[in-house]
Amino acid sequence: MREVNLDGQFQKFPSHIMIKKEVVVSGSYPPPYGGIAYVVKSHMDSVLNKNFNLNLIKKPNIANCNIMTKIYFLLYYYFKFFNKIRETQAQITHIHSSSYGGFWRYSIAIFVSKLLNSKVVLHIHGARFDDFYTNSVFPIRYTIQQILNSVDRLIVLTPEWSKFFEKFIKDKSIIKILPNGVDTGKYTTTHKESKNKVLIHFGCTARKGINEIVNSLPEIIDDNTRLILVDNVERQSIIDKIKEYTDNVDYFVNVSENEKVKLLSSSDILILPTFAEGMPILILEAMSSGLAIVTTAVGGIPSVLRNRENCIFAEPGNSESLQSSISTLKNNQKLMKNMKEANRQKVEKLYSLGKITDNLENIYNQLLNQ
């Protein structure tokens, strides 16, 4: 503290005033609630705001737009992004990117950030980034390498993804592993023991394994088993296929976050026979809700789950393997009960949102202190 004489009166003032650091955050933001949108919103609503001013620039939703509309919205996005960094004099820009087109769109944002002397944190969420990179021709791979090596921090979700990026990142120290996290307090667990079981699946796409689920319906659905399907859009072809097999299926479209929490808490087993993933928020939500899990050992999933401890692993694209995995849980009450309890305990210990945002704050501070 220091003293200042004002008209003969001594007043005490702090020797320094805490000034929040400015961070521009860019990525998908709900609605709709996708994986990246969930992460961005959870960060924006977190205690990170205590020491940082988080300025959000939403990624434009241009998926169903014509080419001229896409160009307009992208130019408007870059204009807002540029202005926000310039107006706030942001010391950090945190960009949440996927792969393919999303990566190329954000590469311009990276360039703008560097132009304005803002340090770049690139947060990779893309479940197929390895395919995107590996299947590109050499000039494209080289360009991807140059972009990735230009950032100040590269955040990846799991140790497996870290090993992948280490192959072509020159300064390995910029790579930081930061798993996704969930607000475990939002979710309730119900360890009911009943012969009636509720299975739940989110995202009725081929990549998420909906075809294998539909093919398995005659074997996994019976009078004591109900399946809940949740999707962002109504897919009539899926509904028609389901009706050929059973009426014991509920199909929900575009549910709210509160409805999603209720559906999870009323279920017993999450089914996610996916072909490619980063680190699914959905799995962490299911663990928080005390669900048993049937999934595949792809992407970052094995870094979170252990077979027969937190889940049963099925083979990707194998309906018989999926059927067998679900039957194993349905017919073994003790295994299911232990798995539900283990999942809730593990997510609280390792993947609670508070722990994750504390680690992100450390990444920001280390970057600022360089």
Side-chain angles (χ1 to χ4, degrees):
M1 302 285 285
R2 61 188 177 89
E3 295 182 342
V4 179
N5 189 342
L6 298 175
D7 297 327
Q9 301 295 318
F10 284 92
Q11 304 286 337
K12 290 188 176 182
F13 292 94
S15 57
H16 67 279
I17 298 175
M18 177 67 181
I19 299 176
K20 289 185 179 183
K21 306 297 184 183
E22 298 287 343
V23 178
V24 170
V25 179
S26 187
S28 302
Y29 195 82
Y33 264 96
I36 299 179
Y38 181 101
V39 172
V40 173
K41 187 176 189 306
S42 67
H43 289 179
M44 294 299 298
D45 295 342
S46 75
V47 294
L48 278 172
N49 287 284
K50 181 179 179 181
N51 296 323
F52 299 92
N53 277 330
L54 303 182
N55 304 276
L56 176 67
I57 302 294
K58 299 179 185 178
K59 185 205 78 170
N61 188 357
I62 58 175
N64 299 315
C65 299
N66 62 50
I67 186 65
M68 294 305 298
T69 304
K70 286 181 179 180
I71 292 172
Y72 170 78
F73 279 117
L74 281 173
L75 290 176
Y76 183 57
Y77 162 77
Y78 295 131
F79 173 77
K80 289 196 301 179
F81 188 83
F82 177 91
N83 268 352
K84 183 58 69 173
I85 296 175
R86 186 180 56 81
E87 290 172 1
T88 62
Q89 297 184 348
Q91 293 162 289
I92 295 175
T93 56
H94 187 163
I95 297 170
H96 294 261
S97 177
S98 55
S99 49
Y100 294 97
F103 178 80
W104 294 121
R105 287 190 290 271
Y106 281 124
S107 65
I108 298 175
I110 292 170
F111 174 78
V112 169
S113 302
K114 303 297 285 187
L115 187 68
L116 295 174
N117 295 317
S118 183
K119 294 184 177 181
V120 177
V121 176
L122 180 61
H123 201 145
I124 298 289
H125 299 266
R128 292 188 180 272
F129 201 98
D130 49 353
D131 293 338
F132 164 57
Y133 176 81
T134 305
N135 295 333
S136 297
V137 297
F138 174 74
I140 300 298
R141 289 201 305 272
Y142 179 78
T143 304
I144 294 170
Q145 290 179 23
Q146 295 301 108
I147 293 169
L148 292 174
N149 278 286
S150 73
V151 305
D152 299 280
R153 289 292 184 272
L154 180 65
I155 293 181
V156 298
L157 303 179
T158 67
E160 290 79 9
W161 279 110
S162 178
K163 291 176 183 176
F164 170 77
F165 285 103
E166 285 173 5
K167 297 173 185 175
F168 46 84
I169 296 296
K170 296 175 183 176
D171 181 2
K172 308 294 189 288
S173 68
I174 73 169
I175 302 175
K176 301 297 178 183
I177 300 170
L178 186 74
N180 290 329
V182 292
D183 180 0
T184 55
K186 285 173 51 178
Y187 303 90
T188 57
T189 60
T190 55
H191 297 299
K192 57 183 183 296
E193 292 188 20
S194 167
K195 67 178 182 178
N196 296 313
K197 299 300 174 190
V198 179
L199 318 178
I200 190 166
H201 171 78
F202 290 79
C204 301
T205 64
R207 181 171 76 83
K208 297 289 186 180
I210 188 59
N211 293 326
E212 287 69 34
I213 291 175
V214 171
N215 291 338
S216 301
L217 286 176
E219 302 297 327
I220 64 175
I221 301 299
D222 52 42
D223 291 340
N224 298 319
T225 308
R226 190 161 197 86
L227 173 64
I228 296 174
L229 297 176
V230 185
D231 206 357
N232 288 332
V233 297
E234 185 173 303
R235 303 177 199 272
Q236 192 59 47
S237 61
I238 298 298
I239 296 173
D240 293 340
K241 286 182 181 179
I242 291 170
K243 288 179 178 178
E244 294 177 12
Y245 295 115
T246 180
D247 293 326
N248 256 12
V249 177
D250 296 316
Y251 193 98
F252 294 90
V253 178
N254 203 23
V255 300
S256 68
E257 272 299 287
N258 287 338
E259 290 169 332
K260 182 180 184 181
V261 170
K262 290 177 182 178
L263 289 172
L264 283 168
S265 68
S266 66
S267 302
D268 296 287
I269 304 172
L270 171 71
I271 310 174
L272 185 63
T274 178
F275 286 78
E277 292 292 338
M279 183 182 179
I281 288 288
L282 177 60
I283 281 181
L284 300 180
E285 292 178 309
M287 294 171 74
S288 294
S289 303
L291 270 63
I293 298 171
V294 172
T295 187
T296 50
V298 300
I301 292 176
S303 70
V304 181
L305 303 177
R306 292 184 180 275
N307 195 38
R308 299 190 71 87
E309 181 180 323
N310 308 104
C311 73
I312 301 289
F313 281 135
E315 296 177 16
N318 189 325
S319 298
E320 291 183 1
S321 177
L322 178 62
Q323 295 165 19
S324 175
S325 299
I326 294 171
S327 296
T328 297
L329 279 175
K330 285 173 58 180
N331 297 326
N332 191 330
Q333 287 279 4
K334 183 178 180 181
L335 176 62
M336 181 181 289
K337 182 175 183 293
N338 290 341
M339 191 178 292
K340 289 181 172 185
E341 292 173 352
N343 281 344
R344 177 67 189 194
Q345 291 169 7
K346 186 169 187 176
V347 77
E348 287 180 336
K349 181 179 180 180
L350 299 177
Y351 302 106
S352 67
L353 184 59
K355 289 183 173 66
I356 304 307
T357 51
D358 283 348
N359 291 337
L360 179 56
E361 183 169 350
N362 289 336
I363 292 172
Y364 285 172
N365 285 327
Q366 289 169 9
L367 190 54
L368 291 171
N369 292 331
Q370 281 188 344

